[in-house]
Amino acid sequence: MSEWRGISVFIEQDNGELERASLEILTRASELGKKFNEEVLGILLGHELDNLIREVSRYGADKLVVVEHPDLRHYNSDAYTETMAYIINKYRPRYLLLPATRNSRDLAGRLAVKFRTCLSAHVIMVDIDEKDRKLVTAVPGFGGNIVATVVCTNGKPEMATVSPGTYEARPSDKEAVVIKESVPEDIIKSRRIELIEKKVSPMPDLSRAEKVVVAGLGTGGDLELVKEFANLIGAAVGVTRPLADMGIVPRDYQIGTTGVSLRAKTVFVFGASGAPHFIYGIRDCGTIVAVNTDREAPIFENCDYCIVADLFDILKALIKELRGEVHA
Amino acid sequence: MLKNIIVTMKVTPKPEEIRFDPVTKTVDRSKATNEINPADKNALELALQLKERYGGKVILLSMGPPFWDQFLKMGIAMGADDAVLISDRALGGSDAFVTSKVLAAAIKKIGDYSLIITGEESEDGSTGQVPPGIAEWLGLPVVTYVSQVVDVAGDSIIVRRTIKGGYEVVKVKMPAVLSVELGVNTPRFPDFERLQWAQSEFKLTVWGIKDLGLTENEVGFKGSLTAVTELRELRPRERMRQFIEGSPEEIAKELVKRLGLK
Ligand SMILES: Cc1cc2nc3c(=O)[nH]c(=O)nc-3n(C[C@H](O)[C@H](O)[C@H](O)COP(=O)(O)OP(=O)(O)OC[C@H]3O[C@@H](n4cnc5c(N)ncnc54)[C@H](O)[C@@H]3O)c2cc1C
Ligand SMILES: Nc1ncnc2c1ncn2[C@@H]1O[C@H](COP(=O)(O)O)[C@@H](O)[C@H]1O
């Protein structure tokens, strides 16, 4: 058997919709590939992928391995795990990086046990050790307060899922050589999970928004004024976990460890207490303004401008102030 | 009619009460309140509702130190029928690979199961790796991030799963592993009388690794495939923390000015 060589990146897509975090990871992999002289391999599964192939091949991979099959159009835990296992056995990459999204975490958790190999989860840094070339990652835990440096001690491919937004996606001048692979039919067909119905709507990418207005449980789920204010300043709207739990907005709008991490320049937080799981999602932002009736709320330790007031009063005043300016 | 419904349950310290010692570079959990991992409460609630609709026996399964027994008894008081705790000194330092292996071995030993129900992730480790890991060890299908059970039909279960931008409904053959999304239901309170019974009479099953046919080399630090080489605190950056006072109108004016919102 050949040696395990190269850095592979799982390029996540669903029904032709690319998961942008894959490109971020591919960009990072190509930096590491240059530094350690390892070939970078993108692995893309799906159906009717021509547009995606063109886009993905510009992000620094040496090779892009593509498996197209109608049954791979949507993520299927069984079909994807078996197809990936087949590709891994054929190409034997030393490292395998995946985005830390729901579907890729599902896939990664199964592959790690299948290959009896190490897996670091939702890492916020990925590197290779200069000396022994082991995969080194930074893994946040305890609500994101504590970060562990984790190394792979055994198994191949050395795996990690990387948190979306950790690296920046940058196109390169290199274009990947596209290799179309086909896998035996029975690998894809012997699945135990069948898709019955699927409903998705396009989601704004909050991790890239310049301004975000976050509604916490203090709003009681009434987002009317929050939305109006956000509109006026050209901001995206996000929520804390309880509002997503209540089903007021889809989970994709949730900020925090189990949601999105923001990179915004300006963030307004209305009626959120400031739990560690939430703060984690705004830690890298520029200016943070928080409005809360409770002076002792922990959010005030983690913001730049603290306003002890009823959030609805402040929102009304802000809207009035901004509208006044427009008409003046 | 469902057979055993095994619910995995972890006990986790509240993150806001964790302290980090910068000198010894260790995590001090001793002052933190422990609780049933929040998502596992949702998993248990889902399991209890399933039992009410389709029958079966709800069995709790934990791998942790002996003091977790009180939390398992809480789960019994919520309505679980039985509980198993895997406790062994050799298990210290187990990563998700080992944890899923040990839990899978225990699930095999319990046997006769239709469903394994877990939380989407644990509050401290939050890897979300254990559920798909268990599935792979047992050769079972897994559906992660389940928000709702739609129906049980013959040897299949139909569930709704949260995905990016929405949801999907899938049908999966049982036995299967389901990981339940945090917050998808309101876990019931423990029944007071049942709690008293659980605390005085209920006999918890405790197994060591030998009971599962595992050796010391396969578990704990030795059996893990990842190692933590360093811990550090990720403090959110220092913020200005400037209080702006005044009437709402004054505050609004001030904010618009300072942030250049016009
Ligand atoms: C495993 C796990 C993962 C989690 N992940 C996340 C995550 O990703 N994101 C997340 O947000 N949470 C997450 N949580 C939940 C988190 O721990 C907190 O419970 C949550 O962030 C609290 O949301 P909140 O601040 O909106 O609500 P609360 O804590 O209830 O705070 C509401 C605040 O609003 C204030 N308020 C009330 N009325 C008004 C008013 N009229 N005007 C002004 N202020 C008012 C109150 O003083 C209070 O401080 C997670 C929890 C667990 C266990
Ligand atoms: N030590 C454990 N004992 C019982 N269940 C566990 C344990 N660790 C993880 N789990 C289960 O696996 C789920 C996901 O955990 P994790 O993969 O650690 O994020 C949890 O919600 C639990 O249901």
Side-chain angles (χ1 to χ4, degrees), chain B residues 122-149:
Chain B
S122 56
E123 188 167 28
D124 50 354
S126 55
T127 73
Q129 263 167 249
V130 169
I134 292 174
E136 203 58 31
W137 285 112
L138 294 172
L140 300 181
V142 60
V143 184
T144 45
Y145 308 99
V146 168
S147 62
Q148 197 189 322
V149 171

Side-chain angles (χ1 to χ4, degrees), chain B:
Chain B
M1 178 76 182
L2 295 173
K3 295 182 282 184
N4 288 335
I5 305 170
I6 300 175
V7 177
T8 57
M9 205 175 95
K10 193 177 176 178
V11 175
T12 50
K14 289 196 171 163
E16 54 270 38
E17 294 173 14
I18 288 285
R19 293 291 167 264
F20 186 74
D21 184 334
V23 181
T24 59
K25 295 197 168 184
T26 50
V27 176
D28 180 9
R29 307 166 170 237
S30 61
K31 289 184 193 64
T33 319
N34 287 297
E35 59 183 356
I36 297 177
N37 179 46
D40 295 349
K41 276 197 183 167
N42 297 119
L44 175 54
E45 178 58 38
L46 190 103
L48 293 170
Q49 288 178 14
L50 270 173
K51 178 188 159 172
E52 283 157 10
R53 264 165 81 189
Y54 305 102
K57 190 175 158 199
V58 175
I59 303 173
L60 298 170
L61 172 63
S62 271
M63 170 185 129
F67 82 87
W68 284 15
D69 64 349
Q70 48 185 308
F71 296 95
L72 287 168
K73 286 173 184 169
M74 239 1 146
I76 293 288
M78 281 170 72
D81 298 289
D82 207 348
V84 177
L85 176 64
I86 316 299
S87 210
D88 200 305
R89 272 173 191 279
L91 288 168
S94 297
D95 66 0
F97 178 78
V98 170
T99 303
S100 60
K101 175 155 75 179
V102 173
L103 292 173
I107 291 163
K108 258 201 194 128
K109 189 171 161 107
I110 295 169
D112 205 29
Y113 45 82
S114 300
L115 291 167
I116 320 299
I117 306 187
T118 75
E120 71 169 280
E121 63 176 47
S122 56
E123 188 167 28
D124 50 354
S126 55
T127 73
Q129 263 167 249
V130 169
I134 292 174
E136 203 58 31
W137 285 112
L138 294 172
L140 300 181
V142 60
V143 184
T144 45
Y145 308 99
V146 168
S147 62
Q148 197 189 322
V149 171
V150 179
D151 202 6
V152 171
D155 63 349
S156 293
I157 183 164
I158 301 167
V159 296
R160 188 193 265 225
R161 163 175 197 263
T162 300
I163 55 173
K164 188 172 190 173
Y167 67 85
E168 63 185 15
V169 177
V170 298
K171 181 172 174 180
V172 59
K173 283 223 168 62
M174 292 188 286
V177 178
L178 308 179
S179 93
V180 176
E181 204 183 15
L182 174 67
V184 293
N185 53 32
T186 310
R188 64 194 67 186
F189 285 106
D191 178 84
F192 183 68
E193 269 172 37
R194 203 170 153 79
L195 183 61
Q196 284 186 316
W197 170 79
Q199 281 167 345
S200 55
E201 276 165 66
F202 170 72
K203 275 267 163 299
L204 175 82
T205 304
V206 181
W207 287 333
I209 56 167
K210 286 208 183 65
D211 298 308
L212 301 176
L214 296 169
T215 62
E216 289 200 2
N217 288 327
E218 290 176 86
V219 300
F221 286 112
K222 285 185 200 155
S224 293
L225 304 180
T226 52
V228 173
T229 55
E230 197 195 350
L231 287 175
R232 65 192 159 86
E233 196 168 18
L234 185 70
R235 277 185 172 279
R237 85 161 87 123
E238 270 309 309
R239 297 272 170 193
M240 285 184 347
R241 298 163 64 186
Q242 209 175 96
F243 281 83
I244 300 181
E245 324 262 351
S247 69
E249 289 69 29
E250 287 161 356
I251 291 171
K253 265 207 178 62
E254 190 63 26
L255 279 179
V256 168
K257 194 174 86 198
R258 291 211 199 182
L259 297 171
L261 291 180
K262 294 150 288 183

Side-chain angles (χ1 to χ4, degrees), chain A residues 20 34 37 49 124 126 167 189 193 218 238-239 242 245 266 326:
Chain A
R20 307 287 309 177
K34 262 190 220 120
N37 195 25
L49 298 169
I124 52 172
V126 54
Y167 295 102
K189 291 288 181 196
I193 304 167
V239 297
D245 287 351
T266 314
V326 171

Side-chain angles (χ1 to χ4, degrees), chain A residues 215-219 239-242 254-259 270-278 291-294 297 309-312, chain B residues 16 35 37-38 121-123 182:
Chain A
L217 193 56
T219 61
V239 297
T240 59
R241 173 125 208 155
Q254 179 192 313
I255 316 300
T257 56
T258 44
F270 290 100
S273 58
H277 280 292
F278 169 69
V291 183
N292 198 306
T293 40
D294 176 10
D310 185 281
L311 66 94
F312 295 104
Chain B
E16 54 270 38
E35 59 183 356
N37 179 46
E121 63 176 47
S122 56
E123 188 167 28
L182 174 67

Side-chain angles (χ1 to χ4, degrees), chain A residues 187-246:
Chain A
I187 281 188
I188 293 178
K189 291 288 181 196
S190 63
R191 53 173 193 260
R192 302 153 293 186
I193 304 167
E194 291 301 332
L195 182 65
I196 292 180
E197 186 198 341
K198 183 165 182 162
K199 202 169 166 225
V200 289
S201 34
M203 283 298 142
D205 189 352
L206 284 179
S207 70
R208 259 161 264 267
E210 290 257 311
K211 291 180 197 158
V212 181
V213 181
V214 183
L217 193 56
T219 61
D222 176 0
L223 302 193
E224 206 184 314
L225 292 177
V226 166
K227 284 183 179 160
E228 192 177 344
F229 171 60
N231 254 336
L232 280 172
I233 62 167
V237 173
V239 297
T240 59
R241 173 125 208 155
L243 293 193
D245 287 351
M246 285 155 71

